[in-house]
Amino acid sequence: MANVEAALKEASTSIDGVIGVALVDCSSGMALGTIGGGKDLDLTVAAAGNTDVVRAKLRTMEMLGLKDEIEDVLITLGGQYHLIRLLKSRGSAGLFLYLALDKTRANLAMARHQLKRIEAELEV
């Protein structure tokens, strides 16, 4: 089992094209840990903004009566992928991993696969 710091480090080193990664509390929008980012990507602002995205999708699913769970949310920009993975492992309800990737260096399928593996190993 990996702690938060180890999981974020694993994501930043094992996934090609990572710009930044954060573990985010969906109830507050606060980043519980971050690696990467920088002047072009403020991970604390991204954490808060993506919390709104997750909440909106959950509300929409509820209004539609969908009895399913979100695995991940993908936002595709011109030069980046933004991947939000809602955590379901023991002790991590209400959290999500946020991953920003450089589109020219990233393999989206592999990033999703790696993030799922990291989620399974994460202990919060």
Side-chain angles (χ1 to χ4, degrees), residues 78-122:
Q80 297 177 359
Y81 295 122
H82 291 223
L83 189 59
I84 301 165
R85 175 130 188 120
L86 278 71
L87 304 185
K88 296 170 191 69
S89 56
R90 184 175 50 92
S92 64
L95 302 177
F96 65 86
L97 283 166
Y98 166 68
L99 184 66
L101 300 164
D102 179 329
K103 207 172 181 180
T104 62
R105 297 184 301 129
N107 178 321
L108 185 56
M110 287 303 296
R112 289 184 69 220
H113 178 73
Q114 288 289 83
L115 211 52
K116 185 176 181 177
R117 182 186 56 75
I118 290 166
E119 173 198 1
E121 296 173 0
L122 178 64

Side-chain angles (χ1 to χ4, degrees), residues 3-124:
N3 67 19
V4 172
E5 185 178 333
L8 294 176
K9 186 171 182 170
E10 168 97 9
S12 70
T13 59
S14 69
I15 300 173
D16 290 336
V18 170
I19 298 168
V21 62
L23 178 66
V24 183
D25 175 11
C26 204
S27 62
S28 68
M30 290 183 57
L32 304 177
T34 63
I35 290 184
K39 67 178 179 67
D40 294 331
L41 179 64
D42 184 333
L43 288 172
T44 58
V45 172
N50 284 305
T51 298
D52 291 338
V53 170
V54 170
R55 288 177 185 162
K57 186 58 188 172
L58 290 170
R59 276 192 312 273
T60 302
M61 289 175 62
E62 183 179 341
M63 290 187 303
L64 292 171
L66 297 176
K67 305 294 184 220
D68 210 342
E69 295 180 339
I70 298 172
E71 282 186 19
D72 51 38
V73 176
L74 172 64
I75 300 167
T76 305
L77 304 177
Q80 297 177 359
Y81 295 122
H82 291 223
L83 189 59
I84 301 165
R85 175 130 188 120
L86 278 71
L87 304 185
K88 296 170 191 69
S89 56
R90 184 175 50 92
S92 64
L95 302 177
F96 65 86
L97 283 166
Y98 166 68
L99 184 66
L101 300 164
D102 179 329
K103 207 172 181 180
T104 62
R105 297 184 301 129
N107 178 321
L108 185 56
M110 287 303 296
R112 289 184 69 220
H113 178 73
Q114 288 289 83
L115 211 52
K116 185 176 181 177
R117 182 186 56 75
I118 290 166
E119 173 198 1
E121 296 173 0
L122 178 64
E123 186 173 290
V124 182

